[in-house]
Amino acid sequence: MHRLSAIAAALTLLAPGQALAQTHSPMPGMDHGDHGGHGAPAPAADGPAAHGSHRHDVGPAGATYDLRFLDGMVQHHIGALRMSEFVFDVGAPGVGALAKDIWRDQAQEIRAMGQWRKAWYPEAPVYPVVLPPGGNPDAMEALVRMSTAEKLAMQMMTTIPTRDTRVVWFLESMIQHHGGALEMAHDALDKSTNPTIRRLARQIIVAQRQEIIQLRRMLQSDGFNKPEYYRFDPLFRF
């Protein structure tokens, strides 16, 4: 089953009338102040995004784990949307089309996750949340608002490319970004018992694996083949 079809099928778990929006409206968790100019107050640099500061683990298992996972993954996907937009109009073969595919698929998942959040956690704050160190993973009142720095870390976009460097920047950065999604998906498989979350995690692993391989091939065709492109291969299986 196609990834988007499977997500749409999972939405049948929601209450009637909670249909998935199909417009390109602002995504859940994307504050009005976050999106202008592609959002991040990032350093102007030409290389791929720095990913070492990203915290993929949203905390221990517990009654609030799925909420924390949804909020973290939405922010992570927002980063992919922003990165993709840099190469929508690029002339390199296949790059713009792949970026638009990534944007469409991850926007669809953002909307699905927003609907699940509303259905499962109607008492949750409207803003994305995190569990501070030592907090009770079973208690809603232990959660705090996700800070701007935590959002940016989840989005994994800390540099801005130039027009000359944006193709390689996008391809290399998206490999690392997809790797972060793989880590989060495996974390969900380890900690969540929710069948919809587990289904989404498996779908993310399959999709990101395929796209990482495609991103590598594009880089190889341009003469790039670095060891770091293969660091997430152990996470291709579940």
Side-chain angles (χ1 to χ4, degrees), residues 46-52 83 155-159 169 172-173 176:
D46 292 343
H51 307 288
M83 290 164 62
Q155 292 170 20
M156 296 177 69
M157 197 188 80
T158 60
T159 64
W169 173 89
E172 290 188 337
S173 296
Q176 301 301 315

Side-chain angles (χ1 to χ4, degrees), residues 15-238:
Q18 290 184 302
L20 197 60
Q22 296 298 326
T23 63
H24 285 192
S25 57
M27 304 302 162
M30 185 184 290
D31 297 337
H32 293 297
D34 285 348
H35 189 57
H38 297 284
D46 292 343
H51 307 288
S53 63
H54 179 60
R55 180 174 176 256
H56 301 110
D57 187 344
V58 297
T64 65
Y65 177 83
D66 294 337
L67 172 61
R68 288 178 270 125
F69 173 81
L70 290 172
D71 284 355
M73 189 60 81
V74 164
Q75 293 301 319
H76 191 266
H77 277 18
I78 287 172
L81 303 190
R82 292 173 171 171
M83 290 164 62
S84 298
E85 289 168 359
F86 279 102
V87 293
F88 273 3
D89 63 344
V90 76
V95 174
L98 175 61
K100 290 176 181 178
D101 286 345
I102 290 172
W103 198 104
R104 182 197 65 234
D105 290 353
Q106 302 218 357
Q108 181 85 356
E109 289 183 355
I110 287 172
R111 294 187 185 99
M113 288 187 284
Q115 294 290 339
W116 295 333
R117 189 187 197 274
K118 290 178 183 178
W120 301 339
Y121 298 99
E123 76 283 15
V126 295
Y127 48 78
V129 295
V130 296
L131 182 69
N136 181 355
D138 294 315
M140 185 72 68
E141 59 271 19
L143 302 177
V144 298
R145 186 170 192 155
M146 187 182 293
S147 69
T148 298
E150 288 167 329
K151 290 179 183 179
L152 295 178
M154 275 290 177
Q155 292 170 20
M156 296 177 69
M157 197 188 80
T158 60
T159 64
I160 302 296
T162 66
R163 287 188 64 84
D164 292 337
T165 63
R166 60 182 172 157
V167 172
V168 173
W169 173 89
F170 170 74
L171 297 174
E172 290 188 337
S173 296
M174 195 56 73
I175 287 175
Q176 301 301 315
H177 195 275
H178 279 2
L182 290 175
E183 293 180 359
M184 293 181 73
H186 278 281
D187 189 65
L189 291 177
D190 287 342
K191 297 174 182 176
S192 177
T193 60
N194 183 314
T196 302
I197 292 292
R198 295 180 63 81
R199 185 183 303 114
L200 174 64
R202 290 190 293 267
Q203 290 163 184
I204 287 172
I205 292 170
V206 170
Q208 311 297 49
R209 173 178 66 204
Q210 293 171 342
E211 288 177 355
I212 286 174
I213 292 170
Q214 185 176 0
L215 291 159
R216 280 202 301 236
R217 288 173 179 163
M218 289 179 170
L219 283 161
Q220 289 165 356
S221 69
D222 287 336
F224 296 92
N225 193 19
K226 301 176 183 178
E228 67 197 54
Y229 301 164
Y230 301 86
R231 61 175 291 200
F232 299 108
D233 286 18
L235 301 179
F236 283 0
R237 296 182 178 181
F238 54 86

